[in-house]
PDB file of all heavy atoms in Angstrom:
ATOM      1  N   VAL A   4     -73.822  41.229  94.887  1.00  0.00           N
ATOM      2  CA  VAL A   4     -74.723  40.612  95.892  1.00  0.00           C
ATOM      3  C   VAL A   4     -75.494  41.699  96.578  1.00  0.00           C
ATOM      4  O   VAL A   4     -74.943  42.686  97.097  1.00  0.00           O
ATOM      5  CB  VAL A   4     -73.852  39.809  96.926  1.00  0.00           C
ATOM      6  CG1 VAL A   4     -74.787  39.147  97.946  1.00  0.00           C
ATOM      7  CG2 VAL A   4     -73.008  38.777  96.220  1.00  0.00           C
ATOM      8  N   TYR A  35     -73.838  34.455 107.047  1.00  0.00           N
ATOM      9  CA  TYR A  35     -72.974  34.710 108.221  1.00  0.00           C
ATOM     10  C   TYR A  35     -73.636  35.621 109.197  1.00  0.00           C
ATOM     11  O   TYR A  35     -74.334  36.570 108.753  1.00  0.00           O
ATOM     12  CB  TYR A  35     -71.576  35.327 107.796  1.00  0.00           C
ATOM     13  CG  TYR A  35     -70.747  34.394 106.917  1.00  0.00           C
ATOM     14  CD1 TYR A  35     -70.932  34.272 105.570  1.00  0.00           C
ATOM     15  CD2 TYR A  35     -69.702  33.616 107.534  1.00  0.00           C
ATOM     16  CE1 TYR A  35     -70.147  33.403 104.774  1.00  0.00           C
ATOM     17  CE2 TYR A  35     -68.980  32.711 106.757  1.00  0.00           C
ATOM     18  CZ  TYR A  35     -69.171  32.650 105.427  1.00  0.00           C
ATOM     19  OH  TYR A  35     -68.438  31.785 104.677  1.00  0.00           O
ATOM     20  N   GLN A  37     -72.618  38.383 112.075  1.00  0.00           N
ATOM     21  CA  GLN A  37     -71.545  39.198 112.632  1.00  0.00           C
ATOM     22  C   GLN A  37     -72.050  40.036 113.791  1.00  0.00           C
ATOM     23  O   GLN A  37     -72.612  41.060 113.620  1.00  0.00           O
ATOM     24  CB  GLN A  37     -70.842  40.089 111.577  1.00  0.00           C
ATOM     25  CG  GLN A  37     -69.605  40.761 112.090  1.00  0.00           C
ATOM     26  CD  GLN A  37     -68.858  41.513 110.933  1.00  0.00           C
ATOM     27  OE1 GLN A  37     -69.414  41.796 109.924  1.00  0.00           O
ATOM     28  NE2 GLN A  37     -67.618  41.792 111.181  1.00  0.00           N
ATOM     29  N   GLY A  40     -68.186  43.711 117.153  1.00  0.00           N
ATOM     30  CA  GLY A  40     -66.866  43.465 117.609  1.00  0.00           C
ATOM     31  C   GLY A  40     -66.311  42.068 117.336  1.00  0.00           C
ATOM     32  O   GLY A  40     -65.249  41.689 117.745  1.00  0.00           O
ATOM     33  N   GLY A  42     -65.863  38.740 114.321  1.00  0.00           N
ATOM     34  CA  GLY A  42     -65.828  38.412 112.869  1.00  0.00           C
ATOM     35  C   GLY A  42     -67.056  37.657 112.491  1.00  0.00           C
ATOM     36  O   GLY A  42     -67.837  37.206 113.306  1.00  0.00           O
ATOM     37  N   GLN A  48     -74.906  27.142 104.356  1.00  0.00           N
ATOM     38  CA  GLN A  48     -74.646  27.392 102.965  1.00  0.00           C
ATOM     39  C   GLN A  48     -75.621  26.662 102.132  1.00  0.00           C
ATOM     40  O   GLN A  48     -76.067  25.476 102.531  1.00  0.00           O
ATOM     41  CB  GLN A  48     -73.237  26.924 102.637  1.00  0.00           C
ATOM     42  CG  GLN A  48     -72.857  27.116 101.178  1.00  0.00           C
ATOM     43  CD  GLN A  48     -71.520  26.459 100.885  1.00  0.00           C
ATOM     44  OE1 GLN A  48     -71.363  25.269 100.821  1.00  0.00           O
ATOM     45  NE2 GLN A  48     -70.438  27.299 100.756  1.00  0.00           N
ATOM     46  N   ASN A  55     -75.883  22.834 102.185  1.00  0.00           N
ATOM     47  CA  ASN A  55     -74.578  22.126 102.033  1.00  0.00           C
ATOM     48  C   ASN A  55     -73.636  22.605 103.145  1.00  0.00           C
ATOM     49  O   ASN A  55     -72.690  23.244 102.886  1.00  0.00           O
ATOM     50  CB  ASN A  55     -74.030  22.504 100.644  1.00  0.00           C
ATOM     51  CG  ASN A  55     -72.694  21.828 100.393  1.00  0.00           C
ATOM     52  OD1 ASN A  55     -72.575  20.614 100.333  1.00  0.00           O
ATOM     53  ND2 ASN A  55     -71.638  22.603 100.325  1.00  0.00           N
ATOM     54  N   SER A  94     -70.858  32.617  95.632  1.00  0.00           N
ATOM     55  CA  SER A  94     -69.669  32.179  94.915  1.00  0.00           C
ATOM     56  C   SER A  94     -70.140  31.270  93.782  1.00  0.00           C
ATOM     57  O   SER A  94     -71.277  30.793  93.772  1.00  0.00           O
ATOM     58  CB  SER A  94     -68.719  31.504  95.838  1.00  0.00           C
ATOM     59  OG  SER A  94     -69.302  30.403  96.506  1.00  0.00           O
ATOM     60  N   SER A  98     -65.703  24.892  94.922  1.00  0.00           N
ATOM     61  CA  SER A  98     -64.252  24.753  94.964  1.00  0.00           C
ATOM     62  C   SER A  98     -63.689  26.101  95.311  1.00  0.00           C
ATOM     63  O   SER A  98     -64.375  27.043  95.632  1.00  0.00           O
ATOM     64  CB  SER A  98     -63.675  24.222  93.642  1.00  0.00           C
ATOM     65  OG  SER A  98     -64.180  25.061  92.609  1.00  0.00           O
ATOM     66  N   ASN A  99     -62.419  26.199  95.307  1.00  0.00           N
ATOM     67  CA  ASN A  99     -61.670  27.430  95.727  1.00  0.00           C
ATOM     68  C   ASN A  99     -61.973  28.627  94.917  1.00  0.00           C
ATOM     69  O   ASN A  99     -61.158  29.004  94.065  1.00  0.00           O
ATOM     70  CB  ASN A  99     -60.197  27.159  95.785  1.00  0.00           C
ATOM     71  CG  ASN A  99     -59.821  26.415  97.035  1.00  0.00           C
ATOM     72  OD1 ASN A  99     -60.551  26.326  97.992  1.00  0.00           O
ATOM     73  ND2 ASN A  99     -58.555  25.961  97.092  1.00  0.00           N
ATOM     74  N   THR A 100     -63.133  29.200  95.118  1.00  0.00           N
ATOM     75  CA  THR A 100     -63.413  30.418  94.379  1.00  0.00           C
ATOM     76  C   THR A 100     -63.698  31.545  95.331  1.00  0.00           C
ATOM     77  O   THR A 100     -64.009  31.328  96.492  1.00  0.00           O
ATOM     78  CB  THR A 100     -64.689  30.226  93.446  1.00  0.00           C
ATOM     79  OG1 THR A 100     -65.784  29.894  94.250  1.00  0.00           O
ATOM     80  CG2 THR A 100     -64.473  29.115  92.468  1.00  0.00           C
ATOM     81  N   PHE A 104     -69.368  39.318  99.035  1.00  0.00           N
ATOM     82  CA  PHE A 104     -70.298  39.615 100.141  1.00  0.00           C
ATOM     83  C   PHE A 104     -71.200  40.748  99.778  1.00  0.00           C
ATOM     84  O   PHE A 104     -70.830  41.685  99.048  1.00  0.00           O
ATOM     85  CB  PHE A 104     -69.459  39.993 101.390  1.00  0.00           C
ATOM     86  CG  PHE A 104     -68.872  38.791 102.103  1.00  0.00           C
ATOM     87  CD1 PHE A 104     -67.702  38.241 101.625  1.00  0.00           C
ATOM     88  CD2 PHE A 104     -69.520  38.240 103.221  1.00  0.00           C
ATOM     89  CE1 PHE A 104     -67.140  37.180 102.277  1.00  0.00           C
ATOM     90  CE2 PHE A 104     -69.004  37.180 103.820  1.00  0.00           C
ATOM     91  CZ  PHE A 104     -67.813  36.644 103.383  1.00  0.00           C
ATOM     92  N   GLN A 106     -73.816  43.834 101.423  1.00  0.00           N
ATOM     93  CA  GLN A 106     -73.614  44.899 102.424  1.00  0.00           C
ATOM     94  C   GLN A 106     -74.124  44.513 103.827  1.00  0.00           C
ATOM     95  O   GLN A 106     -73.761  45.091 104.786  1.00  0.00           O
ATOM     96  CB  GLN A 106     -74.370  46.210 101.966  1.00  0.00           C
ATOM     97  CG  GLN A 106     -73.653  46.931 100.815  1.00  0.00           C
ATOM     98  CD  GLN A 106     -72.525  47.841 101.342  1.00  0.00           C
ATOM     99  OE1 GLN A 106     -71.841  47.504 102.282  1.00  0.00           O
ATOM    100  NE2 GLN A 106     -72.372  48.950 100.624  1.00  0.00           N
TER     101      GLN A 106
ATOM    102  N   LYS B   9     -56.796  43.618 118.318  1.00  0.00           N
ATOM    103  CA  LYS B   9     -58.065  44.183 117.898  1.00  0.00           C
ATOM    104  C   LYS B   9     -57.835  45.542 117.205  1.00  0.00           C
ATOM    105  O   LYS B   9     -58.563  45.900 116.274  1.00  0.00           O
ATOM    106  CB  LYS B   9     -58.977  44.381 119.085  1.00  0.00           C
ATOM    107  CG  LYS B   9     -59.902  43.223 119.406  1.00  0.00           C
ATOM    108  CD  LYS B   9     -61.124  43.648 120.120  1.00  0.00           C
ATOM    109  CE  LYS B   9     -62.364  42.826 119.994  1.00  0.00           C
ATOM    110  NZ  LYS B   9     -62.577  42.041 118.849  1.00  0.00           N
ATOM    111  N   GLU B  32     -56.538  26.486 103.651  1.00  0.00           N
ATOM    112  CA  GLU B  32     -56.629  27.538 102.597  1.00  0.00           C
ATOM    113  C   GLU B  32     -56.942  28.827 103.324  1.00  0.00           C
ATOM    114  O   GLU B  32     -57.985  28.970 103.986  1.00  0.00           O
ATOM    115  CB  GLU B  32     -57.747  27.207 101.639  1.00  0.00           C
ATOM    116  CG  GLU B  32     -57.642  25.869 100.892  1.00  0.00           C
ATOM    117  CD  GLU B  32     -56.452  25.923  99.835  1.00  0.00           C
ATOM    118  OE1 GLU B  32     -55.981  27.016  99.575  1.00  0.00           O
ATOM    119  OE2 GLU B  32     -56.096  24.836  99.348  1.00  0.00           O
ATOM    120  N   TYR B  36     -59.436  39.107 104.182  1.00  0.00           N
ATOM    121  CA  TYR B  36     -60.557  39.996 103.719  1.00  0.00           C
ATOM    122  C   TYR B  36     -60.333  41.369 104.356  1.00  0.00           C
ATOM    123  O   TYR B  36     -59.885  41.517 105.479  1.00  0.00           O
ATOM    124  CB  TYR B  36     -61.900  39.449 104.035  1.00  0.00           C
ATOM    125  CG  TYR B  36     -62.415  38.410 103.020  1.00  0.00           C
ATOM    126  CD1 TYR B  36     -61.986  37.083 103.020  1.00  0.00           C
ATOM    127  CD2 TYR B  36     -63.282  38.777 102.024  1.00  0.00           C
ATOM    128  CE1 TYR B  36     -62.453  36.161 102.142  1.00  0.00           C
ATOM    129  CE2 TYR B  36     -63.762  37.897 101.077  1.00  0.00           C
ATOM    130  CZ  TYR B  36     -63.320  36.547 101.120  1.00  0.00           C
ATOM    131  OH  TYR B  36     -63.721  35.671 100.205  1.00  0.00           O
ATOM    132  N   ARG B  43     -68.468  47.067 101.690  1.00  0.00           N
ATOM    133  CA  ARG B  43     -68.653  45.630 102.074  1.00  0.00           C
ATOM    134  C   ARG B  43     -67.328  44.892 102.174  1.00  0.00           C
ATOM    135  O   ARG B  43     -66.291  45.369 101.713  1.00  0.00           O
ATOM    136  CB  ARG B  43     -69.533  44.988 101.017  1.00  0.00           C
ATOM    137  CG  ARG B  43     -68.943  44.950  99.585  1.00  0.00           C
ATOM    138  CD  ARG B  43     -69.967  44.475  98.598  1.00  0.00           C
ATOM    139  NE  ARG B  43     -71.072  45.387  98.437  1.00  0.00           N
ATOM    140  CZ  ARG B  43     -72.242  45.066  97.891  1.00  0.00           C
ATOM    141  NH1 ARG B  43     -72.421  43.807  97.396  1.00  0.00           N
ATOM    142  NH2 ARG B  43     -73.225  45.903  97.803  1.00  0.00           N
ATOM    143  N   LEU B  46     -62.358  40.512  99.245  1.00  0.00           N
ATOM    144  CA  LEU B  46     -61.146  39.746  99.306  1.00  0.00           C
ATOM    145  C   LEU B  46     -59.911  40.617  99.059  1.00  0.00           C
ATOM    146  O   LEU B  46     -59.922  41.514  98.161  1.00  0.00           O
ATOM    147  CB  LEU B  46     -61.209  38.683  98.222  1.00  0.00           C
ATOM    148  CG  LEU B  46     -59.978  37.840  98.038  1.00  0.00           C
ATOM    149  CD1 LEU B  46     -59.764  36.946  99.282  1.00  0.00           C
ATOM    150  CD2 LEU B  46     -60.104  36.933  96.848  1.00  0.00           C
ATOM    151  N   TYR B  86     -59.730  41.046 108.206  1.00  0.00           N
ATOM    152  CA  TYR B  86     -60.142  39.741 108.754  1.00  0.00           C
ATOM    153  C   TYR B  86     -59.299  38.624 108.094  1.00  0.00           C
ATOM    154  O   TYR B  86     -59.230  38.565 106.872  1.00  0.00           O
ATOM    155  CB  TYR B  86     -61.606  39.479 108.476  1.00  0.00           C
ATOM    156  CG  TYR B  86     -62.520  40.385 109.229  1.00  0.00           C
ATOM    157  CD1 TYR B  86     -63.063  41.487 108.632  1.00  0.00           C
ATOM    158  CD2 TYR B  86     -62.899  40.152 110.553  1.00  0.00           C
ATOM    159  CE1 TYR B  86     -63.928  42.326 109.317  1.00  0.00           C
ATOM    160  CE2 TYR B  86     -63.780  40.943 111.235  1.00  0.00           C
ATOM    161  CZ  TYR B  86     -64.268  42.019 110.606  1.00  0.00           C
ATOM    162  OH  TYR B  86     -65.145  42.878 111.278  1.00  0.00           O
ATOM    163  N   GLN B  90     -60.594  28.842 104.951  1.00  0.00           N
ATOM    164  CA  GLN B  90     -61.609  28.306 104.085  1.00  0.00           C
ATOM    165  C   GLN B  90     -61.703  26.777 104.227  1.00  0.00           C
ATOM    166  O   GLN B  90     -60.792  26.024 104.008  1.00  0.00           O
ATOM    167  CB  GLN B  90     -61.325  28.622 102.627  1.00  0.00           C
ATOM    168  CG  GLN B  90     -62.393  28.202 101.624  1.00  0.00           C
ATOM    169  CD  GLN B  90     -62.009  28.438 100.191  1.00  0.00           C
ATOM    170  OE1 GLN B  90     -60.956  27.997  99.810  1.00  0.00           O
ATOM    171  NE2 GLN B  90     -62.829  29.095  99.405  1.00  0.00           N
ATOM    172  N   GLY B  93     -65.829  23.535 100.333  1.00  0.00           N
ATOM    173  CA  GLY B  93     -67.179  24.003 100.058  1.00  0.00           C
ATOM    174  C   GLY B  93     -67.287  25.483 100.201  1.00  0.00           C
ATOM    175  O   GLY B  93     -68.386  26.039 100.260  1.00  0.00           O
ATOM    176  N   ASN B  94     -66.189  26.195 100.174  1.00  0.00           N
ATOM    177  CA  ASN B  94     -66.183  27.681 100.230  1.00  0.00           C
ATOM    178  C   ASN B  94     -66.853  28.157 101.490  1.00  0.00           C
ATOM    179  O   ASN B  94     -67.530  29.267 101.464  1.00  0.00           O
ATOM    180  CB  ASN B  94     -67.007  28.244  99.007  1.00  0.00           C
ATOM    181  CG  ASN B  94     -66.001  28.612  97.864  1.00  0.00           C
ATOM    182  OD1 ASN B  94     -64.768  28.493  98.022  1.00  0.00           O
ATOM    183  ND2 ASN B  94     -66.554  29.068  96.788  1.00  0.00           N
ATOM    184  N   GLN B  95     -66.746  27.453 102.627  1.00  0.00           N
ATOM    185  CA  GLN B  95     -67.238  27.977 103.905  1.00  0.00           C
ATOM    186  C   GLN B  95     -66.075  28.514 104.660  1.00  0.00           C
ATOM    187  O   GLN B  95     -65.028  27.923 104.833  1.00  0.00           O
ATOM    188  CB  GLN B  95     -67.865  26.838 104.671  1.00  0.00           C
ATOM    189  CG  GLN B  95     -69.021  26.199 103.884  1.00  0.00           C
ATOM    190  CD  GLN B  95     -69.423  24.780 104.370  1.00  0.00           C
ATOM    191  OE1 GLN B  95     -68.994  24.407 105.424  1.00  0.00           O
ATOM    192  NE2 GLN B  95     -70.242  24.143 103.607  1.00  0.00           N
ATOM    193  N   PHE B  96     -66.213  29.769 105.139  1.00  0.00           N
ATOM    194  CA  PHE B  96     -65.121  30.477 105.795  1.00  0.00           C
ATOM    195  C   PHE B  96     -65.339  30.546 107.348  1.00  0.00           C
ATOM    196  O   PHE B  96     -66.437  30.754 107.811  1.00  0.00           O
ATOM    197  CB  PHE B  96     -65.067  31.897 105.272  1.00  0.00           C
ATOM    198  CG  PHE B  96     -64.540  31.985 103.865  1.00  0.00           C
ATOM    199  CD1 PHE B  96     -65.433  31.902 102.787  1.00  0.00           C
ATOM    200  CD2 PHE B  96     -63.199  32.041 103.586  1.00  0.00           C
ATOM    201  CE1 PHE B  96     -64.971  31.974 101.483  1.00  0.00           C
ATOM    202  CE2 PHE B  96     -62.728  32.151 102.283  1.00  0.00           C
ATOM    203  CZ  PHE B  96     -63.618  32.059 101.224  1.00  0.00           C
ATOM    204  N   PHE B  98     -63.801  33.029 110.159  1.00  0.00           N
ATOM    205  CA  PHE B  98     -63.146  34.277 110.266  1.00  0.00           C
ATOM    206  C   PHE B  98     -62.542  34.466 111.694  1.00  0.00           C
ATOM    207  O   PHE B  98     -63.111  34.045 112.686  1.00  0.00           O
ATOM    208  CB  PHE B  98     -64.108  35.445 109.999  1.00  0.00           C
ATOM    209  CG  PHE B  98     -64.476  35.575 108.582  1.00  0.00           C
ATOM    210  CD1 PHE B  98     -65.504  34.798 108.028  1.00  0.00           C
ATOM    211  CD2 PHE B  98     -63.810  36.433 107.706  1.00  0.00           C
ATOM    212  CE1 PHE B  98     -65.897  34.963 106.687  1.00  0.00           C
ATOM    213  CE2 PHE B  98     -64.144  36.577 106.389  1.00  0.00           C
ATOM    214  CZ  PHE B  98     -65.213  35.837 105.856  1.00  0.00           C
ATOM    215  N   GLY B  99     -61.463  35.241 111.661  1.00  0.00           N
ATOM    216  CA  GLY B  99     -60.953  35.725 112.983  1.00  0.00           C
ATOM    217  C   GLY B  99     -61.855  36.918 113.443  1.00  0.00           C
ATOM    218  O   GLY B  99     -62.729  37.326 112.710  1.00  0.00           O
TER     219      GLY B  99
END
Side-chain angles (χ1 to χ4, degrees):
Chain A
V4 180
Y35 293 83
Q37 186 173 18
Q48 180 187 73
N55 181 64
S94 55
S98 54
N99 277 349
T100 61
F104 283 81
Q106 286 275 35
Chain B
K9 269 204 153 337
E32 298 289 348
Y36 274 82
R43 63 188 64 196
L46 176 67
Y86 293 96
Q90 185 187 50
N94 265 358
Q95 300 162 14
F96 288 90
F98 287 85

